[in-house]
Each structure stands twice: as structure tokens, then as C-alpha cells.
Amino acid sequence: MQSLVGIATILLCVFGGFMLHGGDMGVIWQPVELIIIIGAGCGTIILGNPRHVLSEMWLQVKEVLGRKKNGEEFQRQLLLLMYELLQTAAGGLKALDAHVEAPHESELFKRYPMILHEPKLLHFIVDNFRLMAMGKISAHELEGVLDQEIGAIHEEMMQPAKSLSKVGDAMPGFGILAAVLGIVMAMNSVAEGADTGEVAMAVAAAMVGTFIGIFMCYGVLDPIANRMRQLVDDERQALDSVKVVLVTHVAGKPPLLAIDAGRRLVQLNTKPSFARLESWIDKLRNPDSEDEPATPRRRKGDLRAQQA
């Protein structure tokens, strides 16, 4: 919704201001200029990127225009899923096989649909629980492996935003290209005996190409690419949160402390308090209980119990 409001604001201010200044929208509407500029931009994207980057770019653009998903409910599902997995692993990592081998069929994972709909995050979780089940690994070794994996995932996910940003930077050049072609046609009309008014209209139509190129750069592609980078950073935050939970667990800490370590990496605007986290866990243990924040005294007692 916010993205649509931003787009509407840009269009209203730019074109509304043009009309208030006495401009005629019919002059702006130049389909040939649009075909040249947008077609060149699309062709550049297709030529300069492999198919998997194009697919990821399409998904990220849809996310930009859709609803924000990494809110409090997403964080709740992620933290509680990790808590349940750690609790299951307490009985032996082999107990996780039924869940991590087929997460889409697992009743545990089905309780957290927002995580199931995030394939990169889901694969990261199940792959690293498999890694932990394969043999003993120290917390330091696990942290190094996860840092490298997260870095590789982040770099790959940033490629669509980088490519779109480069195409946005090239849009003014494509606009000049369309304008030059328009000027060529205007000069050709002079040779054919066009009058001054017809030449002026042809030159004005050509200059629209420059406007379209600049508008596409700064009013469309650059803000979309910036939002895509922010979405990728949000997804990396989720991966980092999972990494810290796993490393803390391998270091020998109890599940509650491991989950709290992951909570601390959540962005401030969606980070739950420790009391809120504990109320979620209490609700998980006792589904019929009230979903109320735990008192400070009870939190302290529960924390000592987890540490014991």
C-alpha cells in the first residue's frame, strides 16, 4: 500500500504540476518515445542478466509493490519455530529428521506458514539443522560456515537491485537517444518543406524523450531498486537471527537463551521485548493460557530454570 501511495504521489505532483502550469497532457503522450526508451531498458536487463537473476528481480519487484511481510507476526513465527526445533533437538538431533527432511509435510513447520513461504530462509534452517545432525561441530566452526553462506546468499540476492539501478542510471541516456532520433525526424521534415509550427511540434515531441528518461531514472527505477535493497537486508536479518540462534545453541546454551540471542538481531521496528517473547513461549506451552506479558519476577525465575 505504501508503495502505491508513493507512486501516486509522484505521478500526481509531476503531471499535475505540469497541467497546473498550463501544459497539455497530449503533448507528453508520445508512444514511440516510450517504446524506444522502455524497450531499450528492458532489452538491457534481459541481455545483461542470467535467467535466475531475472526471476529473482521479478519476485522482488512484486514484493516492493505488495505488503510488507517481515512484521511482528513473521518474527513471532520465526522465533517460535526455532524454539520448537531446538526443543525437539534436545531429545537428539535424529528426532529432527522427520521435520527437516520434508518440512512442507511436517506438522511442526505447518504451524508456521509464513516461514514455509520463504524458500531461502526455509532451506537455510533445514540445511543447517542437517549439518548439526551430521556430526559434532564447534560453535566457532559453525559460525564461520554460516557467515560464508549468508554472505553468498546476500550477494546473489543483491544482484537484481544492482542491475535495476544500473539500468536506471542509463535511462537518461536512452532518453537522449530517443530525443536525438526525434530531432533527426524533425530536421528531415524541414527538408520535406514542413512549416515552422510542424517543426516546433516535432522538436517538442523529441524533447519528451529526455523527460521520460530522467523521470524513469529518478522517479521509478531508482526508488524501486532502493526498496529492493532494503527488502534484501530484511531477509538477511532473518538469516542472521537464525545463525545466532544455532551458534548459541551449539555453544551449549538453553533454548530460551538461544532464542533471545536471535531476538536481539531483529530490527527495532519489529523487535519483540523479552517479556513478549516469553509470553509467546508460554502460550506455545499452554495454548489455553492468556497471552499476557510475563511479570519481571516470573521471567527471572524462568530464566534461572532454563540456565539450570
Side-chain angles (χ1 to χ4, degrees), residues 176-222:
I176 293 173
L177 175 65
V180 169
L181 293 176
I183 294 295
V184 169
M185 295 302 297
M187 295 301 100
N188 185 61
S189 67
V190 172
E192 293 177 353
D195 60 29
T196 304
E198 292 174 339
V199 174
M201 289 296 295
V203 171
M207 296 306 295
V208 170
T210 304
F211 161 75
I212 293 173
I214 296 173
F215 178 78
M216 290 296 295
C217 173
Y218 297 107
V220 180
L221 297 183
D222 188 62

Side-chain angles (χ1 to χ4, degrees), residues 26-217:
V27 177
I28 297 293
W29 177 246
Q30 300 294 335
V32 176
E33 302 285 325
L34 287 170
I35 291 173
I36 293 173
I37 298 169
I38 297 178
C42 292
T44 301
I45 291 174
I46 295 171
L47 179 63
N49 296 280
R51 182 173 297 179
H52 72 275
V53 174
L54 296 176
S55 299
E56 181 64 26
M57 183 183 297
W58 173 243
L59 292 175
Q60 291 184 16
V61 169
K62 288 198 299 183
E63 289 179 4
V64 168
L65 299 178
R67 293 187 305 172
K68 181 181 170 108
K69 63 188 175 186
N70 288 9
E72 182 178 285
E73 177 59 20
F74 179 86
Q75 303 299 340
R76 185 191 72 84
Q77 292 194 21
L78 177 60
L79 293 173
L80 289 184
L81 170 64
M82 295 302 296
Y83 180 80
E84 287 207 66
L85 289 173
L86 294 184
Q87 289 288 82
T88 305
L93 289 173
K94 293 296 183 182
L96 289 172
D97 285 349
H99 302 293
V100 300
E101 292 300 329
H104 289 281
E105 300 175 5
S106 166
E107 292 300 323
L108 190 156
F109 277 92
K110 286 180 180 179
R111 290 197 288 271
Y112 306 102
M114 297 183 76
I115 310 303
L116 280 177
H117 293 155
E118 292 294 322
K120 297 181 185 67
L121 178 60
L122 180 64
H123 292 159
F124 183 78
I125 293 172
V126 299
D127 286 350
N128 286 293
F129 269 103
R130 288 194 191 101
L131 174 65
M132 292 163 55
M134 289 172 63
K136 186 172 180 59
I137 184 171
S138 69
H140 178 72
E141 292 172 334
L142 180 62
E143 185 175 12
V145 170
L146 297 185
D147 280 338
Q148 291 182 348
E149 183 177 1
I150 290 174
I153 293 173
H154 183 260
E155 180 64 25
E156 182 175 345
M157 293 175 63
M158 285 295 290
Q159 287 303 316
K162 291 179 180 178
S163 297
L164 196 63
S165 181
K166 289 181 179 179
V167 173
D169 292 340
M171 276 294 165
F174 290 140
I176 293 173
L177 175 65
V180 169
L181 293 176
I183 294 295
V184 169
M185 295 302 297
M187 295 301 100
N188 185 61
S189 67
V190 172
E192 293 177 353
D195 60 29
T196 304
E198 292 174 339
V199 174
M201 289 296 295
V203 171
M207 296 306 295
V208 170
T210 304
F211 161 75
I212 293 173
I214 296 173
F215 178 78
M216 290 296 295
C217 173

